[in-house]
Amino acid sequence: MRLISLIAVFAVSLGLPANPAFSSERDATAKERQRVVQHLSRIGYTQISDVDVVRGRFEVDARSPKGREVDVILDMRSLRILAVNAS
């Protein structure tokens, strides 16, 4: 238990979260962004922007094939669309 406390104190002193759950949101890397943009473009999405990784999924702002502004949630591995929500 003391070791865990020491690790937590060390992580906080470095400005790092002691628990990875606190860092569940980040910008996609350039490689991830390219992969997502290529996939969504192929299936008709346009104006693809703001590709984030949230809780292990991609969250993307885009314009749907029908021209609506939407938030698209994709599986990170398969790029399967999990949800499309109106912005």
Side-chain angles (χ1 to χ4, degrees):
M1 185 69 163
R2 181 161 168 76
L3 178 61
I4 293 171
S5 296
L6 288 173
I7 292 170
V9 168
F10 182 70
V12 169
S13 70
L14 291 176
L16 302 172
N19 182 347
F22 292 124
S23 62
S24 64
E25 184 171 345
R26 66 174 173 82
D27 291 336
T29 65
K31 190 173 185 176
E32 290 170 332
R33 187 181 192 324
Q34 179 183 16
R35 194 171 149 239
V36 168
V37 169
Q38 286 177 347
H39 175 70
L40 289 177
S41 294
R42 248 183 308 212
I43 58 177
Y45 285 84
T46 60
Q47 297 180 10
I48 301 159
S49 64
D50 198 25
V51 180
D52 296 317
V53 176
V54 180
R55 293 182 300 276
R57 303 183 220 169
F58 289 119
E59 290 192 8
V60 183
D61 293 338
R63 196 165 286 275
S64 75
K66 293 183 178 182
R68 295 187 182 122
E69 288 185 21
V70 294
D71 297 320
V72 184
I73 301 172
L74 301 123
D75 179 83
M76 283 186 71
R77 290 187 185 163
S78 67
L79 296 182
R80 181 174 61 93
I81 294 176
L82 303 173
V84 178
N85 304 310
S87 292

